[in-house]
Structure formats: C-alpha cells, structure tokens
Amino acid sequence: MDEKLINEIIDDIKIRLEREKMPVPVGVSNRHVHLTVSHFAALFGQNCKPTLYRQIVQPGFYACNEKVDIETAKGSFKNVRMIGPCRNYTQIEISLSDARVLGLSPPIRDSGKLENSPGIKIKGPAGEITVEKGVIISKRHIHFSPADAERFKIKDQHIVRVLCSPGSDKETIYENVLCRVSDKYVLEFHIDTDEANAAGLKTGDKVFII
C-alpha cells in the first residue's frame, strides 16, 4: 500500500478518535415558521413587529410570541411559533410525522433551499396567505463557530456521523449530518422532534461525532 495513503488513513483515525471525545450539545427543533417582512405584515398587521418570547442558542435568533396556523386540504396545525427575526424568504419547517398529517411530501433540505418544495396556507390574527413553496423537513446538521470547527477539524459542508444516547437502549447513529460553519453560529446539533424521539434525545443532551 502507498505510504502516503497509509499516513492519510492514520491521520484520519487520529482525528476521529479526538472528535469522539468532544461532546456536542443538542437542540431539538419543533415545527416552526420563518416569515418575510411582507408576509409577517399580512398575517399580523402593518404596524406590528415580531416580539421576543425567548432567546435561542444561535446568536441573533429568537422564538417569537407570534404564532400562526398552517393548513392544507388534508390537515392543519395551530399555534406554530415564528422564529425571528424576519428573513428574505418564508420557510415552514416540519417533521415527517407532521407532513403525514398535512398530506404533504416535503423535501429534506438545508435551510433556504426551497426549490420544488410544497406550499401551504398560513393564517394569522390579521389575515392569511398562501405560499407556493417553502415547506421543508430540515436536514439534520451541526452549527460550528470557526473556533469550534478548527477544534473539531471540520470544514463547512462536511458530512459526518453522530452517535446519540451512547450506552442506552435508544443508542442511535445518525449518518449524513451536515456541518455548517459561520462566525454567526455556536456549537449545536440540530434535529427535529421525530429524530430526537427516535434517539431518546432532548435539548441540552450531548452527542458525539464519530
């Protein structure tokens, strides 16, 4: 075997052994919506702005007091919370279980990639809108700050495996976990409620890249 290849394999093993000792905190994401300024105004009123319910882990983002109902011909969910601030696209993030209730087949996507995704009706206290696209199941991912990415030897868009609930009856390995690196992020593993329940996880638990 080529010596260079052997050294690359050894280096990769060393990196993996280092990573699996470093815990990553979990953030479980319930169904929620992101709204544009114009869609927010249509739903809540021209003079309204999103208001803080509580801060969330990722800097600059927060859960809003404002909630909407989402609806299709086959099902609906009430009181779906908005995550602020407003964005330049409206996006509705749901789980696979939610999608079945709504009768939809949304793609599994990274945030903002809304091509060929289904639309939905959104109702607020001041009005309702129908978006032609925007419903997705969020691809499981890990947020890294640049410092954490360097510590884990991770680059943006890397794909990794994540060990959840090690040693428990719910021990699970999630494949194809997307890594996202930005100076706007802090370290956190994001999964939806279906994935969290399957692996016996809750927000604040720790997982490991293997």
Side-chain angles (χ1 to χ4, degrees):
M1 186 179 291
D2 182 82
E3 183 177 351
K4 180 181 178 182
L5 179 59
I6 292 173
N7 289 333
E8 288 176 352
I9 293 172
I10 292 172
D11 288 343
D12 184 64
I13 291 171
K14 287 180 180 178
I15 290 171
R16 290 174 183 270
L17 290 173
E18 290 174 4
R19 284 178 185 158
E20 67 183 23
K21 297 175 184 177
M22 297 187 286
V24 178
V26 174
V28 179
S29 180
N30 200 354
R31 71 184 77 96
H32 62 274
V33 300
H34 302 278
L35 298 172
T36 65
V37 171
S38 60
H39 284 165
F40 182 87
L43 294 166
F44 293 97
Q46 292 296 326
N47 296 320
C48 292
K49 293 183 179 180
T51 58
L52 175 68
Y53 172 67
R54 65 173 175 83
Q55 298 288 344
I56 58 179
V57 171
Q58 296 306 311
F61 295 94
Y62 54 93
C64 301
N65 288 305
E66 289 72 26
K67 299 178 183 179
V68 297
D69 299 341
I70 57 175
E71 180 182 302
T72 67
K74 294 187 176 180
S76 64
F77 288 103
K78 294 186 178 298
N79 298 318
V80 178
R81 194 177 297 280
M82 176 185 171
I83 300 297
C86 289
R87 294 189 174 186
N88 60 2
Y89 54 86
T90 288
Q91 178 172 287
I92 303 90
E93 296 183 34
I94 61 175
S95 69
L96 181 58
S97 294
D98 293 342
R100 288 172 176 158
V101 172
L102 296 168
L104 297 177
S105 297
I108 299 171
R109 294 275 179 79
D110 191 14
S111 184
K113 296 182 178 179
L114 307 180
E115 308 83 20
N116 301 314
S117 61
I120 201 165
K121 181 181 289 186
I122 306 174
K123 295 182 177 181
E128 63 181 57
I129 60 172
T130 298
V131 293
E132 298 302 317
K133 63 180 181 180
V135 182
I136 65 167
I137 297 172
S138 180
K139 183 176 178 64
R140 51 184 175 258
H141 59 277
I142 305 175
H143 289 291
F144 292 87
S145 68
D148 283 319
E150 183 175 353
R151 185 164 60 92
F152 279 83
K153 295 182 172 61
I154 289 288
K155 294 187 181 299
D156 188 48
Q157 302 300 307
H158 267 183
I159 300 295
V160 297
R161 305 166 76 226
V162 173
L163 173 63
C164 308
S165 303
S168 76
D169 291 337
K170 285 281 192 176
E171 181 172 318
T172 303
I173 294 174
Y174 278 125
E175 305 277 356
N176 300 317
V177 178
L178 176 68
C179 296
R180 300 171 61 188
V181 181
S182 171
D183 57 8
K184 298 178 181 178
Y185 296 155
V186 296
L187 185 66
E188 192 175 32
F189 174 48
H190 277 189
I191 51 174
D192 66 29
T193 50
D194 282 359
E195 294 167 323
N197 290 337
L201 292 176
K202 62 183 183 302
T203 294
D205 285 348
K206 301 294 191 294
V207 296
F208 301 87
I209 299 173
I210 60 173

